Amino acid sequence: MADSLANDIIGAENHLRSERSDFEAMWREIAEQIDPLSTFNGTGAQSTANRSKLAKQFNSRPGVSLERAASAAKSLLIPLGSHWHSLKPVDEELVDNDEVKKYADTMRKRLFAWRYDGQAGFQSAFGRAYMQLMAYGTPCVNIEEKFGGDAPFLYRFIPLSQVVFSVNAAGIEDTVYRKFPMTAKQMAQDFGENKLSEPAKRALDDPKLRGEKHFTVIHAVYPKTSDKSRFAFDSVHIDVDGKKVMKEGGSYEMSYLTSSFGRSDDRLPYGYSPGLRALADIKGAHHAKRLFLRASEKTVDPVMGVADGHEGTININAGSLVRGAFDRQGRQLIGPIAMGGNPNLGNDIFETFSNDVDKSFYMDLFAALINKADMTATEVLGIMEERANQLSPPFEDQEAMLSRCIAREISIINRKAENGEIDLPPMPDVLRDNGGIDLEFTSPLSQLRRAKQAQANMQAVRAVGEIAELDPSVLDTVDLDEAAYEAANAFGANPKIWRDKKTVAEIRANRAQQAQVQQQLDQQSQQAEQVSKVAPAMKMMAEGA
């Protein structure tokens, strides 16, 4: 049974890999041009040969653009040091409930504390994944449920060259095969010596190898095949070389997270990346830089021409003596040949190609998000709205991937809380009975989207202000408090500096009460003043009577 399952998994992995052969060819070409250290350029001895291609690249700018684009994507989605999402009740009527707010805030802080734990590897895994996203269009991260230690989960970046996958009807990954190398020693540590194939056991027992020989392993995760399983997915590790199942288990959620950039093929779940879009310009930039260097070399160290009949070599080193350089009339017989080229033209062509590469990686849009000091709030919102229209569509799939990541994290910590491994605050009954908790992104990308609504709000408020000059009562139609909250969300203001609606209502009630007291005091003062003015006249009238 085990050998049969191993053969089935090997066959399924080979089938999915053969289906994406066209993508593989494109990825290898992209790797050669901008990512020479990628595993798409081979491994082992082949890798050493292929990585020598780095020396054949005539400029590093496309690679730098890729790194900057990946960093910009990371800052747009999961900026370091920022809580880029919040938790809120599904029922909007509970938004201002103090007990619910306290629970949601505590859970959010716990999640970020575990996520940013030094042993979790979140930023490293997603940083490399976004590099893969911008270069090849498909990132992949594995979230392992961790036992022991401070962080309940471990994040691993998975190179695209290792993993093939398929998606369900909703377009979400539900079958993943990861083929990767492991030493016999590592396999024994993870699965036990008795689970190893005979070749792996021999490598482990060999005193010369000491278990350091590599074998190919496939980790397969797919929807459960038995209704009796308590898991949603089967999880199987096999030794490909020995065609042996080493571990069978399951997973409550899909542990591998993927997405795509610009997916257009309904048959395959892979994306068409900015790196692919920029490939022609990258090649042009390399060629233009090569021409520029050749032209510059000819200008700095030009070809020398000599008169007919000149014999011997020409020593052009500094301070050297060159015989026969002049004839008896003093005419120069040796000199540089004017080629008539323009090295700067080659550099201009290179800059044109390089700028197009930057645009393919969205660098012009990312740069435009940097606010200038003299910009008004309206101008900032206008730019944010424009960039939201351009950046939101290609990055929406990445937010969906993050949503599945957070859902798995919450499932893991809830299971660990039930098992007594970690402590979590109890969910308020009012929250549990009314739909539970929901996710809300507060990242710079989500702020860009909110800017569109905030911009519309500000324009509408200004229009109402103009109408109010004719009829002030029209201001009663506008909830300025809600407009202020919307503007705060659009600019990404810290929620802690904004008072909630209940507190604002109390402040206004106190202010109204104080105003009423002051009004009463003013009235009393006026009455006393009137009495003091009337008192003499009253006295005279009384005396006259």
Side-chain angles (χ1 to χ4, degrees):
M1 178 63 182
D3 291 343
S4 174
L5 178 58
N7 285 328
D8 290 344
I9 289 174
I10 293 171
E13 195 275 342
N14 286 336
H15 172 70
L16 288 178
R17 193 169 291 275
S18 66
E19 278 196 331
R20 75 174 198 184
S21 57
D22 290 341
F23 278 97
E24 293 263 4
M26 292 187 292
W27 293 335
R28 284 192 293 271
E29 192 170 5
I30 293 170
E32 182 179 337
Q33 295 293 328
I34 59 174
D35 192 15
L37 302 183
S38 166
T39 51
F40 281 118
N41 282 325
T43 57
Q46 182 186 0
S47 174
T48 302
N50 283 341
R51 291 177 188 181
S52 65
K53 296 175 183 176
L54 180 63
K56 299 179 182 179
Q57 293 189 5
F58 288 86
N59 81 97
S60 60
R61 186 157 164 184
V64 172
S65 295
L66 169 61
E67 293 176 359
R68 289 178 175 174
S71 297
K74 184 178 176 182
S75 298
L76 195 66
L77 294 161
I78 52 169
L80 182 63
S82 171
H83 287 185
W84 38 267
H85 75 79
S86 61
L87 299 175
K88 64 176 185 178
V90 172
D91 186 349
E92 294 185 358
E93 296 295 327
L94 300 177
V95 168
D96 292 324
N97 183 291
D98 290 337
E99 186 181 12
V100 170
K101 287 196 298 183
K102 182 179 180 180
Y103 171 80
D105 189 56
T106 300
M107 288 292 290
R108 179 179 64 100
K109 289 178 179 178
R110 292 277 188 93
L111 281 172
F112 276 100
W114 284 320
R115 196 176 287 145
Y116 290 154
D117 184 273
Q119 298 179 359
F122 177 86
Q123 284 289 329
S124 173
F126 274 88
R128 296 175 67 187
Y130 289 147
M131 178 82 78
Q132 187 165 272
L133 167 72
M134 302 305 287
Y136 310 108
T138 307
C140 185
V141 173
N142 178 241
I143 305 180
E144 298 180 15
E145 188 167 347
K146 191 176 177 183
F147 299 94
D150 295 329
F153 17 73
L154 176 66
Y155 306 85
R156 292 185 188 275
F157 162 72
I158 307 299
L160 185 55
S161 59
Q162 292 185 359
V163 65
V164 295
F165 63 97
S166 62
V167 297
N168 58 21
I172 299 173
E173 65 280 348
D174 70 346
T175 300
V176 174
Y177 298 97
R178 179 194 174 200
K179 182 187 287 187
F180 61 104
M182 290 185 75
T183 64
K185 179 177 67 177
Q186 293 169 336
M187 292 160 66
Q189 292 170 345
D190 278 3
F191 312 118
E193 292 185 28
N194 62 323
K195 297 293 185 179
L196 302 186
S197 63
E198 290 304 319
K201 288 180 180 178
R202 288 195 294 271
L204 190 65
D205 296 336
D206 191 321
K208 294 182 179 180
L209 295 175
R210 302 180 65 180
E212 297 299 336
K213 182 178 179 180
H214 281 91
F215 293 85
T216 301
V217 175
I218 290 180
H219 181 207
V221 183
Y222 47 83
K224 67 179 181 179
T225 55
S226 172
D227 292 336
K228 296 181 180 180
S229 175
R230 69 180 188 276
F231 299 109
F233 296 88
D234 290 342
S235 175
V236 184
H237 289 80
I238 68 166
D239 177 351
V240 176
D241 303 284
K243 295 184 178 180
K244 179 179 176 60
V245 173
M246 295 183 291
K247 182 180 179 181
E248 289 187 75
S251 176
Y252 291 100
E253 306 87 28
M254 170 55 72
S255 58
Y256 289 93
L257 303 173
T258 67
S259 69
S260 63
F261 195 108
R263 177 184 171 192
S264 61
D265 190 335
D266 292 334
R267 298 178 301 106
L268 297 172
Y270 306 101
Y272 290 85
S273 66
L276 178 61
R277 186 171 57 238
L279 189 57
D281 290 319
I282 291 171
K283 291 179 178 179
H286 284 314
H287 183 64
K289 190 61 174 286
R290 181 167 63 249
L291 293 178
F292 169 70
L293 293 174
R294 288 176 60 188
S296 298
E297 183 180 22
K298 290 177 182 178
T299 301
V300 176
D301 188 12
V303 178
M304 303 298 291
V306 298
D308 290 340
H310 184 274
E311 298 180 357
T313 59
I314 302 175
N315 186 354
I316 59 173
N317 292 325
S320 61
L321 178 65
V322 181
R323 296 184 180 278
F326 298 91
D327 62 13
R328 294 183 181 277
Q329 286 75 36
R331 291 175 297 187
Q332 186 172 326
L333 302 178
I334 301 173
I337 299 177
M339 304 298 292
N342 183 2
N344 291 330
L345 178 60
N347 193 48
D348 292 342
I349 296 173
F350 165 73
E351 286 296 330
T352 299
F353 279 119
S354 296
N355 289 335
D356 289 340
V357 171
D358 287 344
K359 291 178 182 178
S360 292
F361 283 116
Y362 296 93
M363 295 309 299
D364 55 331
L365 299 184
F366 292 138
L369 295 177
I370 301 175
N371 296 340
K372 297 179 181 179
D374 58 348
M375 293 176 65
T376 65
T378 303
E379 290 172 334
V380 172
L381 286 174
I383 290 178
M384 291 174 69
E385 178 187 356
E386 179 184 354
R387 296 303 176 252
N389 294 333
Q390 295 170 309
L391 287 172
S392 287
F395 287 100
E396 283 176 351
D397 279 351
Q398 317 322 314
E399 280 194 332
M401 175 179 169
L402 288 171
S403 297
R404 298 194 295 277
C405 168
I406 297 167
R408 175 156 169 78
E409 292 168 344
I410 292 176
S411 296
I412 288 174
I413 62 175
N414 283 337
R415 285 195 296 272
K416 289 185 174 296
E418 290 176 2
N419 296 333
E421 298 178 48
I422 60 176
D423 292 326
L424 290 179
M427 180 180 289
D429 293 338
V430 66
L431 185 59
R432 183 182 295 104
D433 296 338
N434 290 277
I437 208 75
D438 197 7
L439 170 68
E440 182 178 36
F441 284 106
T442 56
S443 64
L445 180 61
S446 65
Q447 293 168 22
L448 287 177
R449 284 195 293 266
R450 292 191 183 98
K452 185 174 184 178
Q453 184 62 58
Q455 172 77 347
N457 291 345
M458 293 188 70
Q459 291 175 344
V461 169
R462 282 198 300 270
V464 171
E466 295 177 2
I467 298 174
E469 294 178 2
L470 303 174
D471 181 6
S473 65
V474 75
L475 292 176
D476 297 337
T477 65
V478 181
D479 188 343
L480 294 177
D481 288 354
E482 200 63 38
Y485 286 127
E486 286 286 339
N489 288 334
F491 282 107
N494 190 333
K496 291 183 178 179
I497 70 172
W498 293 86
R499 298 188 178 101
D500 58 33
K501 295 178 180 179
K502 181 179 178 181
T503 304
V504 171
E506 292 175 351
I507 292 174
R508 287 173 175 168
N510 290 335
R511 184 185 298 129
Q513 184 178 5
Q514 292 174 1
Q516 184 177 6
V517 170
Q518 185 63 45
Q519 184 180 9
Q520 292 174 351
L521 292 175
D522 291 342
Q523 290 176 350
Q524 292 174 1
S525 177
Q526 292 175 2
Q527 291 173 356
E529 184 178 355
Q530 292 175 356
V531 169
S532 64
K533 291 179 178 180
V534 175
M538 295 290 292
K539 183 178 181 181
M540 291 177 61
M541 291 174 62
E543 290 176 352

